[in-house]
Amino acid sequence: MSCSENDGNILMVSKEQLESSSTDEGSCSGSSTGGGTVNLKKGPWTTAEDALLISYVQKHGEGNWNAVQRHSGLLRCGKSCRLRWANHLRPHLKKGAFTTEEEQFIIQMHSKMGNRWARMAALLPGRTDNEIKNYWNTRVKRRSRAGLPLYPTKVNLQTSDENQLIQSATELSSGNQQNIGILPGTINGTLELRFLPHKANPGPPPYPPHFSDIPVTAMPSHGLGYYTRSFLNPQGDHAKQTWESETSFPGCHFGLNSMVPAFEDLSSLNSEPVYLNSGIGYPHDPDPESKKNLASFICPIPGNHALSNGNFSSSRLLPGAVKMELPSLQSTEADYNDWNTSASLFTSSYDAVDSYIQSPENVSVQSDCASPKNKGLLEDLVQESKAISIGKKQSLEKSFDDTMTGSSTVKLEEIRDPTSPFCQSAVSLFNECNPINRSTYNESSTFKAPMGEYFLHLTFSSGTQRDVNVGSAGSAKQDKCAPNLPDFLRPDVLLGSGWFIGNSRSAIDSISGPLDENLREDLVPGPAGISSMASLESYPWTNMPRVCQMSELQ
DNA sequence: AACCCTGCCAACCGCTGCTAT
DNA sequence: AATAGCAGCGGTTGGCAGGGT
């Protein structure tokens, strides 16, 4: 009853064939196609219908389901088509029974989310909400008949870390920020922010294997990508101060360590320049209060350094940026490769960065921008690091043929503020993705956030890994920005919350993965007063705390 | 062999939220 | 602001298969 593109043979079906197939009375509400109302078929799909639908999606991409009938002759309503595609025909669907791990995950997530099938499905790649729903309903029936509790005891015996983290992330994802404070104080493990863009259009949609398992370099060449930010939780006084009522979080760190290849592997990515902060970028949020632009934080322009002086550099802009629009993640394969590359960047460890410094030839850092002076962020990072490491306070001045700002001069100033644990430098992870000076941008321009799902990837000290969908941005349909990411994803919140940033090492962690524990011991406290969500107002986008200082790593 | 129960699966329905007009 | 169209979500139903009696 199924027919997927995996079969390899798309059946060509004539309208006559279709119409000769059994049809039921009834329709999704009828459909008028010029001449009159067409009774749409209901009931099980035939192979011929599947083939038609697949053919349609291959040509036109997903979405616009109501047009399927018009264009393909399928006598099905849009809803039915969408359902059929999503549940049966789309690529990379897992079939078969749930694995034990999946079952446990469902149980765990249901205990936190309730019947949010679609959200759970988003966390279980290859599985559909319908499958999960069916599984759960069956389980409910079975257990109620057996007189068993809905949730096994072990769910309740999960560590408070996991429970609270998952719950908090879940709450955050549903807009409840009241308990955000729970997070920093109770988790032991790794937290990553991952981005799963919407599918390339009309290419195959991005339905990855389990997030934790997929190496970036193994991702398909288009349609799927992660954008990962990871953060180091401060262990210093600041954190204790802020979260002292919570349990401690020894060894808590936020890093990228499970899904990405080692930095050394980057040498194999010789086809693409490498940047520490590649990815898709967005100009500054014209409205700091607006949640609509939150995505800009996680979507830095590749190598784009927004600097505290209001200028920003652009080491490598994706084509779309030229138009001051987000290069849509569903745009080109080339764009997508950027994502792969950018994600790979975050696999680097601090050691890898160091080794890179020593052997830059290991990684091809190039710029495909017009100006040969354009530098990738990694290069900037390294340069600055070198400069700082030799104790010279210097400004790095670069001219960029910046396609977004026009030619601009960018000063990468090393500014040290001893009173602030937040570093400030040109390589500030957040600055670069959060252009400071609004005047830099044409506020009337259209900026697009990357469409897709955003996940918090939680890695617990026990090794357990979970992905929590924390929001989505954009819609496949409109190809425009409509992010509804929770506020906690804002850099100012992340920073201010005291989650991540203690000092430069945290930033390095954030870009290069977990550090050696010895290094982590040296974390310095974050600033008081910006330790909670309350800081959200006090830290507008235009007043972002600094994040890292490469020199402090030396 | 017939019947029943159960699990599984597929699909439909109604509702909601978003977007465009 | 109101409305319509659309996509998506969650609840529900119905059919089928397999196992037990």
Side-chain angles (χ1 to χ4, degrees):
Chain A
M1 160 77 170
S2 69
C3 174
S4 74
E5 73 290 337
N6 294 332
D7 297 336
N9 51 350
I10 304 301
L11 299 177
M12 300 306 292
V13 182
S14 69
K15 264 191 172 180
E16 290 71 21
Q17 282 176 293
L18 259 182
E19 286 161 2
S20 68
S21 61
S22 67
T23 56
D24 299 332
E25 173 64 29
S27 67
C28 272
S29 67
S31 169
S32 65
T33 55
T37 298
V38 175
N39 279 340
L40 299 177
K41 188 186 170 195
K42 292 188 347 186
W45 280 66
T46 64
T47 305
E49 289 175 311
D50 283 344
L52 271 181
L53 182 55
I54 291 169
S55 172
Y56 172 85
V57 172
Q58 285 175 339
K59 270 188 201 158
H60 301 93
E62 294 180 52
N64 205 6
W65 295 110
N66 283 335
V68 175
Q69 186 216 334
R70 280 197 303 274
H71 293 129
S72 69
L74 254 182
L75 298 176
R76 294 276 183 174
C77 69
K79 257 182 163 182
S80 187
C81 293
R82 187 188 67 81
L83 207 63
R84 183 66 185 171
W85 175 260
N87 288 343
H88 301 282
L89 302 179
R90 72 180 198 202
H92 309 305
L93 278 179
K94 260 191 224 168
K95 292 293 183 183
F98 284 104
T99 65
T100 305
E101 289 74 23
E102 286 174 325
E103 288 176 357
Q104 288 174 348
F105 180 68
I106 292 170
I107 294 166
Q108 177 74 21
M109 293 317 293
H110 190 275
S111 72
K112 304 303 172 190
M113 292 180 171
N115 298 351
R116 305 258 176 96
W117 312 119
R119 190 161 288 181
M120 288 184 223
L123 303 179
L124 274 177
R127 299 296 188 179
T128 69
D129 54 352
N130 212 32
E131 276 181 298
I132 297 172
K133 186 168 56 184
N134 285 336
Y135 165 78
W136 186 259
N137 289 338
T138 299
R139 174 189 166 79
V140 167
K141 247 194 269 180
R142 191 173 51 230
R143 291 186 75 88
S144 80
R145 196 180 307 117
L148 296 170
L150 202 49
Y151 301 107
T153 312
K154 69 175 180 181
V155 169
N156 301 324
L157 295 180
Q158 290 274 341
T159 66
S160 60
D161 284 355
E162 297 189 23
N163 280 337
Q164 289 197 308
L165 183 50
I166 291 173
Q167 178 166 355
S168 296
T170 302
E171 286 171 355
L172 287 167
S173 70
S174 57
N176 178 5
Q177 298 174 347
Q178 297 220 328
N179 291 327
I180 189 171
I182 292 173
L183 278 165
T186 55
I187 49 177
N188 289 320
T190 301
L191 184 149
E192 300 165 8
L193 179 60
R194 293 181 173 185
F195 170 69
L196 174 64
H198 285 320
K199 73 279 179 184
N201 192 357
Y207 299 106
H210 193 278
F211 294 119
S212 305
D213 299 329
I214 185 171
V216 172
T217 50
M219 290 177 184
S221 60
H222 61 102
L224 164 65
Y226 295 110
Y227 188 81
T228 304
R229 285 290 191 196
S230 51
F231 305 92
L232 181 62
N233 199 35
Q235 288 183 290
D237 295 337
H238 167 57
K240 289 175 182 171
Q241 213 173 56
T242 306
W243 308 109
E244 60 191 0
S245 65
E246 308 288 349
T247 58
S248 61
F249 39 97
C252 181
H253 67 278
F254 298 81
L256 176 75
N257 55 4
S258 60
M259 56 171 269
V260 287
F263 183 78
E264 288 74 18
D265 294 341
L266 291 173
S267 58
S268 64
L269 301 174
N270 49 16
S271 61
E272 279 286 322
V274 173
Y275 303 91
L276 268 182
N277 184 33
S278 187
I280 305 297
Y282 307 90
H284 177 62
D285 176 6
D287 177 9
E289 302 300 317
S290 169
K291 287 177 76 173
K292 286 194 170 186
N293 292 289
L294 293 174
S296 61
F297 153 59
I298 25 187
C299 314
I301 289 169
N304 190 350
H305 314 164
L307 304 176
S308 55
N309 65 0
N311 293 326
F312 70 93
S313 67
S314 174
S315 63
R316 188 165 184 272
L317 294 175
L318 293 178
V322 175
K323 295 182 281 190
M324 294 197 70
E325 286 187 1
L326 258 193
S328 169
L329 285 174
Q330 37 181 354
S331 53
T332 66
E333 185 168 332
D335 289 349
Y336 183 70
N337 286 337
D338 288 334
W339 281 79
N340 286 349
T341 305
S342 70
S344 301
L345 291 166
F346 294 95
T347 71
S348 58
S349 65
Y350 172 63
D351 287 342
V353 172
D354 190 57
S355 68
Y356 170 78
I357 293 172
Q358 295 168 18
S359 306
E361 66 276 10
N362 286 339
V363 179
S364 171
V365 178
Q366 301 169 349
S367 171
D368 56 4
C369 280
S371 170
K373 292 182 179 180
N374 278 356
K375 301 287 185 179
L377 176 63
L378 176 58
E379 190 169 354
D380 290 337
L381 182 67
V382 171
Q383 280 198 12
E384 187 180 28
S385 171
K386 286 179 176 175
I388 293 168
S389 67
I390 60 176
K392 292 180 181 178
K393 180 177 177 81
Q394 63 180 27
S395 291
L396 305 176
E397 247 185 67
K398 299 175 183 178
S399 293
F400 295 93
D401 181 13
D402 191 307
T403 53
M404 286 187 71
T405 61
S407 182
S408 61
T409 297
V410 181
K411 290 187 178 183
L412 308 183
E413 293 179 328
E414 179 197 343
I415 302 172
R416 296 174 190 244
D417 179 359
T419 67
S420 171
F422 294 122
C423 318
Q424 178 170 353
S425 86
V427 297
S428 163
L429 282 177
F430 296 125
N431 279 353
E432 69 188 311
C433 55
N434 175 37
I436 301 301
N437 191 339
R438 295 182 199 187
S439 64
T440 304
Y441 305 97
N442 175 358
E443 294 192 18
S444 67
S445 298
T446 300
F447 304 132
K448 292 180 179 179
M451 302 187 314
E453 299 292 324
Y454 293 82
F455 296 89
L456 278 180
H457 178 72
L458 317 174
T459 304
F460 303 99
S461 52
S462 63
T464 308
Q465 298 185 1
R466 293 287 182 270
D467 288 298
V468 178
N469 185 322
V470 296
S472 62
S475 80
K477 179 186 168 190
Q478 274 81 23
D479 184 30
K480 65 183 287 187
C481 172
N484 56 356
L485 297 176
D487 277 342
F488 85 105
L489 295 180
R490 281 173 49 174
D492 47 345
V493 176
L494 289 170
L495 295 171
S497 68
W499 274 30
F500 311 118
I501 305 303
N503 71 351
S504 57
R505 292 223 173 88
S506 59
I508 286 301
D509 244 15
S510 73
I511 58 176
S512 62
L515 292 172
D516 184 273
E517 287 297 331
N518 296 333
L519 297 177
R520 197 167 287 108
E521 288 173 5
D522 298 331
L523 291 175
V524 300
I530 53 169
S531 57
S532 72
M533 286 296 288
S535 66
L536 198 145
E537 282 78 26
S538 60
Y539 273 76
W541 287 81
T542 51
N543 189 25
M544 293 294 300
R546 291 169 295 157
V547 176
C548 66
Q549 189 88 15
M550 190 65 178
S551 61
E552 296 177 16
L553 296 165
Q554 305 302 311

